[in-house]
Amino acid sequence: MENMELINLLIVFLFGICIGSFLNVVIYRIPRQKSIISPPSSCPACGKRIKPWYNIPIFGWLILKGKCAECGEKISVRYPLIETLSGIIAVIVYKKTGFNIFFITNFGVFATLLALSMIDFDYKAVPDSLNLSALTLAFFTNTNIIDNLINALIFMGGMSLIRYYVSYFIKREAMGEGDIIVGGTMGALLGIKLALVALFIGSAIAIIPSIYNRIKNNDVELPFIPSLALGTFTVWLFDDYFTTLWSNIYG
């Protein structure tokens, strides 16, 4: 039985890193308005197509020693890191949900949030197509589809209200529209109470990078989606603990 579970975990991890490889394509191409279907992957520096065996998640990068086989240009370590992280997320989601339709939808949400986080890091903006995909998947992460939709609407409305008031008082945009859509994903996935906890954790995570960015780069804008995604994943993973904590504090 233990051996069978190890095999299952390996299969799930391999599935996760393959999705991570696809996420690398999404992260690179969608912001550049390129097709994620074709043409096949190529080196950004020399344009040469990457051979299929070099596209094997994680191992392809290791075989190439982080360099293009044709021109020798360095390939960012971010590629295998995203693939590995996607594999780990897949395993964690599997351990919590088992292998069923809700594994697919929950993992789909977090995989999409991972892609959104990387794009937000790069551009401080995210494509609505990807953001709405995460929100749509979040409606189907459990059997309470109508409740998930209502929670998403309520949480998006609340965050929009906060955005308008704070933006008015600080005289600049306090929160991007992409953050609001992620808020809807949080509400659908976690429910209102736990989404508030995730928002608090995400905001706390963002404080130190925000201060550093302000001092070091004199830049008041900070990608917020990575912090929201991490807060959401943390609360989703330890939902029982945070539900008990909420009950102990607020009854």
Side-chain angles (χ1 to χ4, degrees), residues 161-174:
L161 192 66
I162 293 171
R163 174 196 179 198
Y164 287 124
Y165 271 104
V166 175
S167 296
Y168 174 79
F169 284 111
I170 67 176
K171 307 302 180 186
R172 61 180 175 81
E173 198 67 62

Side-chain angles (χ1 to χ4, degrees), residues 35-57:
S35 170
I36 59 175
I37 305 299
S38 64
S41 298
S42 59
C43 173
C46 67
K48 296 287 187 180
R49 287 189 178 180
I50 298 173
K51 292 180 173 61
W53 50 89
Y54 292 142
N55 267 327
I56 299 172

Side-chain angles (χ1 to χ4, degrees), residues 2-250:
E2 288 183 6
N3 290 338
M4 193 62 196
E5 180 63 10
L6 286 175
I7 292 172
N8 289 341
L9 290 174
L10 179 60
I11 292 171
V12 169
F13 180 75
L14 292 175
F15 169 75
I17 64 175
C18 288
I19 296 298
S21 182
F22 176 68
L23 292 181
N24 280 323
V25 175
V26 168
I27 292 164
Y28 181 81
R29 294 192 183 187
I30 286 186
R32 293 172 172 83
Q33 297 183 333
K34 294 182 177 182
S35 170
I36 59 175
I37 305 299
S38 64
S41 298
S42 59
C43 173
C46 67
K48 296 287 187 180
R49 287 189 178 180
I50 298 173
K51 292 180 173 61
W53 50 89
Y54 292 142
N55 267 327
I56 299 172
I58 302 174
F59 296 104
W61 187 89
L62 293 173
I63 292 169
L64 289 169
K65 298 179 181 178
K67 295 180 181 179
C68 173
E70 300 293 338
C71 68
E73 184 72 17
K74 285 187 176 181
I75 301 172
S76 174
V77 71
R78 193 168 83 169
Y79 288 97
L81 286 178
I82 289 172
E83 291 163 355
T84 303
L85 188 56
S86 180
I88 293 170
I89 291 171
V91 169
I92 292 172
V93 173
Y94 165 75
K95 291 295 288 183
K96 187 171 175 67
T97 66
F99 192 73
N100 49 49
I101 188 61
F102 299 124
F103 163 77
I104 300 298
T105 53
N106 279 274
F107 174 63
V109 169
F110 291 118
T112 309
L113 286 176
L114 176 59
L116 288 167
S117 297
M118 295 300 104
I119 294 172
D120 201 23
F121 268 129
D122 292 338
Y123 298 95
K124 294 182 181 175
V126 294
D128 287 342
S129 58
L130 206 57
N131 214 348
L132 290 171
S133 296
L135 176 59
T136 303
L137 283 169
F139 297 148
F140 302 98
T141 49
N142 54 51
T143 56
N144 304 314
I145 298 171
I146 301 301
D147 288 344
N148 296 343
L149 176 60
I150 293 170
N151 289 336
L153 291 171
I154 292 172
F155 209 71
M156 288 177 75
M159 288 184 69
S160 297
L161 192 66
I162 293 171
R163 174 196 179 198
Y164 287 124
Y165 271 104
V166 175
S167 296
Y168 174 79
F169 284 111
I170 67 176
K171 307 302 180 186
R172 61 180 175 81
E173 198 67 62
M175 194 183 301
E177 291 181 2
D179 302 330
I180 303 297
I181 298 175
V182 172
T185 301
M186 295 165 67
L189 183 69
L190 301 173
I192 301 301
K193 292 179 181 179
L194 291 185
L196 286 170
V197 177
L199 179 61
F200 173 79
I201 292 175
S203 300
I205 292 170
I207 288 175
I208 294 178
S210 180
I211 294 172
Y212 174 82
N213 197 45
R214 181 67 181 269
I215 295 172
K216 182 74 174 178
N217 303 317
N218 196 28
D219 186 359
V220 295
E221 288 189 31
L222 183 78
F224 193 31
I225 289 176
S227 301
L228 290 177
L230 184 55
T232 301
F233 187 66
T234 302
V235 173
W236 177 85
L237 183 57
F238 301 106
D239 58 337
D240 289 339
Y241 169 78
F242 286 108
T243 299
T244 302
L245 183 63
W246 180 283
S247 299
N248 289 340
I249 295 175
Y250 298 105

